[in-house]
Amino acid sequence: MHYGEVLTQPQFWRTFFTQNRYSHDEIPDLSHKVAIVTGANSGLGYATTVALAGHGAHVFLACRSRERAMDAIKRARKEIREKFKHVQEPMLEFLELDLNDMNKARQAAQSFLSKGLPLHILINNSGMITPSGLSADGIEQQFAVNHMGHFVFTMNLLDKIKESQPSRIVILSSMGHECTVPGGIDFDNLNDESKSSPLTRYGRSKLANILFGRALARRLADERVYVNIAHPGLVKTELMGHANEAKSLATMFFDKMTNTVAMMPDTGALTQLYLATSPEIVNRDIRGRYFVPIANEIQPSSYARDDELGDKLWTFSEQLAREKLN
């Protein structure tokens, strides 16, 4: 376990004593912008959707369940009309996305592309914690859903995102990326539960999120596509409900913390909203950076800054996707 580097950074602790660096009032007009938010039916994804659509964006809620997404759309429309009086008819649509299955992730991207719309903002918000299990493709489920599903979805949308520039890609990770397996990512042992724990498997998937974001940013250095990574902080979301299934001391501790000090989702979403909407990202040419609440840049772990490991993950992900996609 490679843990504690971020916690020793003075700049990390300073974030607890500084004012929030972004607010809902600072989100600019997003009229004529098109956005996709994965996992948008609850928690951070829902709060992000409300904020984007409330400022004029046409938002696609990329979710697995149509029923839950349509319920979220109904709630969001009501909330937006109450909070944002100038928005008469929020533009919200459901996009079916199952990150547990790479073929379905590709189909979701193709479904969006068939609409002929631009894509200015992609927020890879969805995530899961689970004690064990394999995806539909036979891959350790946290790595499959948190990384591989988003990798396939993003790569199939990338040409459209480049056509729509200036554009943004925001990838959610976690401070938990430090709590990973020895070496960062054990590519040859992903499915071997004897060599990891539910917590290190989660950390491995969150490390993959940062490595992917940084690798993608390097590959888009000559484009006006701004890729950045966010740790939203401790937020009251359904993610911790999945974590409780693991019944570990760590997850019980985090559940207790969530009930006492966690932010509400509309506050927790501000860091990803900063990366998705703030003019500062373009003006300061911010790319491949890691941010913690609220909109504070810090350094991730040394594993996360290892570009050689990031390139190895990129090649591994491409090969795995080719193997599993029909």
Side-chain angles (χ1 to χ4, degrees), residues 100 102 133-145 148 190-191 316 320-321 324:
N100 192 56
M102 281 188 265
L134 300 178
S135 71
D137 299 300
I139 304 163
E140 190 277 310
Q141 198 167 26
Q142 294 186 92
F143 188 85
V145 171
M148 284 304 307
L190 284 179
N191 289 0
F316 177 85
L320 188 59
K324 299 299 182 179

Side-chain angles (χ1 to χ4, degrees), residues 251-263:
T251 54
M252 287 189 284
F253 169 76
F254 279 117
D255 183 53
K256 184 71 173 178
M257 289 287 288
T258 298
N259 289 330
T260 54
V261 301
M263 294 178 284

Side-chain angles (χ1 to χ4, degrees), residues 207-228:
L207 173 61
N209 292 150
I210 301 180
L211 290 170
F212 171 48
R214 285 169 55 89
L216 184 57
R218 291 195 299 275
R219 286 158 174 79
L220 295 172
D222 295 329
E223 308 282 352
R224 290 193 301 157
V225 179
Y226 301 87
V227 185
N228 290 288

Side-chain angles (χ1 to χ4, degrees), residues 30-52:
L30 300 174
S31 299
H32 311 299
K33 300 291 187 182
V34 179
I36 296 176
V37 181
T38 72
N41 59 274
S42 65
L44 288 167
Y46 175 81
T48 299
T49 296
V50 168
L52 294 175

Side-chain angles (χ1 to χ4, degrees), residues 72-90:
I73 288 172
K74 181 179 179 180
R75 288 185 286 113
R77 284 187 172 139
K78 181 176 184 294
E79 184 174 343
I80 290 167
R81 291 190 186 104
E82 292 172 352
K83 287 184 176 180
F84 305 94
K85 302 300 184 182
H86 63 285
V87 180
Q88 297 300 315
E89 189 58 39

Side-chain angles (χ1 to χ4, degrees), residues 31-293:
S31 299
H32 311 299
K33 300 291 187 182
V34 179
I36 296 176
V37 181
T38 72
N41 59 274
S42 65
L44 288 167
Y46 175 81
T48 299
T49 296
V50 168
L52 294 175
H55 287 83
H58 182 176
V59 184
F60 286 81
L61 292 79
C63 308
R64 184 174 58 178
S65 167
R66 173 180 290 274
E67 181 180 2
R68 295 186 67 188
M70 296 310 295
D71 176 69
I73 288 172
K74 181 179 179 180
R75 288 185 286 113
R77 284 187 172 139
K78 181 176 184 294
E79 184 174 343
I80 290 167
R81 291 190 186 104
E82 292 172 352
K83 287 184 176 180
F84 305 94
K85 302 300 184 182
H86 63 285
V87 180
Q88 297 300 315
E89 189 58 39
M91 293 183 288
L92 300 165
E93 290 191 52
F94 168 60
L95 178 68
E96 185 174 356
L97 170 64
D98 184 354
L99 294 166
N100 192 56
D101 184 322
M102 281 188 265
N103 280 283
K104 290 183 179 178
R106 181 175 62 179
Q107 289 168 11
Q110 292 171 340
S111 176
F112 174 81
L113 294 174
S114 71
K115 299 177 185 295
L117 294 170
L119 180 55
H120 305 99
I121 300 169
L122 171 61
I123 302 180
N124 288 343
N125 165 86
S126 184
M128 70 177 304
I129 301 176
T130 186
S132 62
L134 300 178
S135 71
D137 299 300
I139 304 163
E140 190 277 310
Q141 198 167 26
Q142 294 186 92
F143 188 85
V145 171
N146 295 346
H147 170 60
M148 284 304 307
H150 278 124
F151 178 86
V152 170
F153 187 58
T154 302
M155 296 307 292
N156 278 273
L157 292 170
L158 192 56
D159 285 345
K160 180 59 67 176
I161 294 170
K162 289 163 69 174
E163 289 175 14
S164 308
Q165 58 187 287
S167 48
R168 318 277 183 100
I169 300 174
V170 181
I171 298 173
L172 262 68
S173 181
S174 167
M175 287 275 287
H177 78 273
E178 289 198 79
C179 188
T180 187
V181 297
I185 298 179
D186 48 347
F187 297 98
D188 295 329
N189 298 305
L190 284 179
N191 289 0
D192 188 346
E193 293 187 358
S194 70
K195 298 185 182 301
S196 59
S197 68
L199 192 58
T200 58
R201 290 192 286 276
Y202 176 72
R204 179 174 61 193
S205 72
K206 294 288 99 181
L207 173 61
N209 292 150
I210 301 180
L211 290 170
F212 171 48
R214 285 169 55 89
L216 184 57
R218 291 195 299 275
R219 286 158 174 79
L220 295 172
D222 295 329
E223 308 282 352
R224 290 193 301 157
V225 179
Y226 301 87
V227 185
N228 290 288
I229 305 101
H231 160 62
L234 193 60
V235 182
K236 293 183 179 181
T237 71
E238 293 184 1
L239 183 66
M240 295 313 298
H242 294 293
N244 287 339
E245 297 172 8
K247 302 295 184 183
S248 71
L249 288 175
T251 54
M252 287 189 284
F253 169 76
F254 279 117
D255 183 53
K256 184 71 173 178
M257 289 287 288
T258 298
N259 289 330
T260 54
V261 301
M263 294 178 284
M264 295 303 293
D266 60 343
T267 301
L270 281 171
T271 299
Q272 61 209 65
L273 285 165
Y274 165 75
L275 297 175
T277 67
S278 173
E280 191 171 85
I281 301 301
V282 175
N283 295 340
R284 292 178 51 204
D285 195 31
I286 296 173
R287 303 166 180 264
R289 311 285 186 83
Y290 176 67
F291 287 78
V292 300

